[in-house]
Amino acid sequence: MTRVLIVDDQAVVRLGFSSLVGSQPDMVVVGAAGDGCEAVRLAEDLAARNQGPHVVLMDIRMPVLGGIEATAQLGRLPEPPSVIALTTFDLDDYVFDALRAGASGFLLKDATPEQILEAIRVVAAGDGLLAPAVTRRLIAQFARQPRLTAPARLDRLTSREREVLLLVARGLSNAEIAARLCLAEQTVKSHVGALLSKLGLRDRVQAVVLAYESGLVTPGASVDRPA
C-alpha cells in the first residue's frame, strides 16, 4: 500500500483528494495537513510510528509555511517521502523552486483524477513526473541560462552511467534507453539506480535538473550528440 499525505490549506481540497486517494485499493491516506509546518510535524510523527508517507501531495501556496519550504524540510527526514507539488498557478518560479527543493513531480490542480492517481503511482515507484506543459517551459528556461560547469561528482559516473544520464535527461524511458543502447531493460534500471546513488539524487526528475543546470546536456541538442 502506498501511504499518502495530503497537504492543502483548503479543507474542501483536502477532503476531495482524500476521497480520491482513499478510493484506490493500492493507496491509503495516512494524514492531512493545512500548512507546511503541520505537514512536517505530521510526517515526522508518522515516521516515528513506522507509518511515514511514501508520497505527499503538496500545495505550493499556503500560510505559515509554504509548500516549497515544507518540501525542503521533508527532504531532510531519514526516509524522505516523494513530493508531488500541486498548484493552480502555472508559473515558472514555482516549478524551479519546487524541483530544487526536492519535489519529484509537479502538476496543476486542473489535472484529472486519473492523472493525479497515476502521478502518485509513478513517484511511489521511484520515478519523477512533470506535466507536459511544465516540461516544455522547464527546458526552455534552461536554454536561456548560461552554460555552467558540471559538478565534480559527475566524475564518479562510469562512461555507461553518464551515457544513460544523458538519455534520461532527454526524457527517454528505461525501455527506450535499452533499445537505443542495445541493453536489457533491467540493466538500464540498474544503471539508473547506480547513477542516482552516486550523485546523491532521489529520482529521475532531480537527475534531469542536474543534467541541464550543469550544462551536461543542452536543450535542443540531438540525443545522439549531447553536449
Side-chain angles (χ1 to χ4, degrees):
M1 295 287 285
T2 298
R3 298 189 294 268
V4 181
L5 175 62
I6 311 294
V7 187
D8 196 287
D9 63 334
Q10 298 184 39
V12 67
V13 175
R14 295 197 300 273
L15 179 61
F17 282 145
S18 295
S19 297
L20 174 64
V21 173
S23 69
Q24 302 303 297
D26 58 338
M27 300 178 190
V28 59
V29 177
V30 293
D35 63 66
C37 281
E38 184 183 358
V40 173
R41 288 196 299 267
L42 184 53
E44 290 173 340
D45 291 343
L46 289 167
R49 302 197 300 270
N50 294 320
Q51 296 177 349
H54 300 120
V55 177
V56 178
L57 287 181
M58 179 75 75
D59 188 20
I60 292 295
R61 296 187 66 172
M62 295 183 293
V64 185
L65 186 71
I68 292 171
E69 295 85 353
T71 296
Q73 291 191 25
L74 289 173
R76 293 193 283 270
L77 294 177
E79 295 185 12
S82 297
V83 175
I84 299 174
L86 287 163
T87 184
T88 56
F89 299 92
D90 188 10
L91 299 177
D92 289 339
D93 286 348
Y94 290 126
V95 178
F96 305 134
D97 290 346
L99 295 179
R100 288 174 179 133
S104 296
F106 190 102
L107 289 176
L108 301 180
K109 285 185 178 178
D110 62 1
T112 66
E114 293 76 16
Q115 288 172 330
I116 292 173
L117 293 173
E118 177 63 17
I120 293 173
R121 294 187 174 99
V122 166
V123 301
D127 282 334
L129 179 142
L130 295 175
V134 170
T135 303
R136 288 193 295 271
R137 288 201 330 281
L138 186 68
I139 293 176
Q141 175 67 18
F142 283 130
R144 293 193 295 268
Q145 294 180 351
R147 182 78 174 273
L148 303 177
T149 302
R153 65 182 187 274
L154 285 175
D155 294 338
R156 303 172 188 169
L157 303 182
T158 65
S159 58
R160 179 63 84 184
E161 289 166 353
R162 194 181 181 95
E163 191 173 16
V164 169
L165 173 59
L166 292 170
L167 295 176
V168 167
R170 286 297 179 200
L172 274 65
S173 67
N174 285 351
E176 292 168 332
I177 295 173
R180 181 175 291 272
L181 300 180
C182 299
L183 298 173
E185 188 171 346
Q186 184 58 43
T187 301
V188 172
K189 185 176 180 180
S190 296
H191 285 315
V192 172
L195 71 87
L196 292 177
S197 177
K198 289 181 179 180
L199 297 175
L201 304 175
R202 187 185 307 170
D203 53 41
R204 297 168 81 100
V205 166
Q206 292 187 348
V208 171
V209 171
L210 174 67
Y212 278 102
E213 285 193 324
S214 67
L216 184 65
V217 61
T218 302
S222 165
V223 294
D224 295 312
R225 295 186 297 102

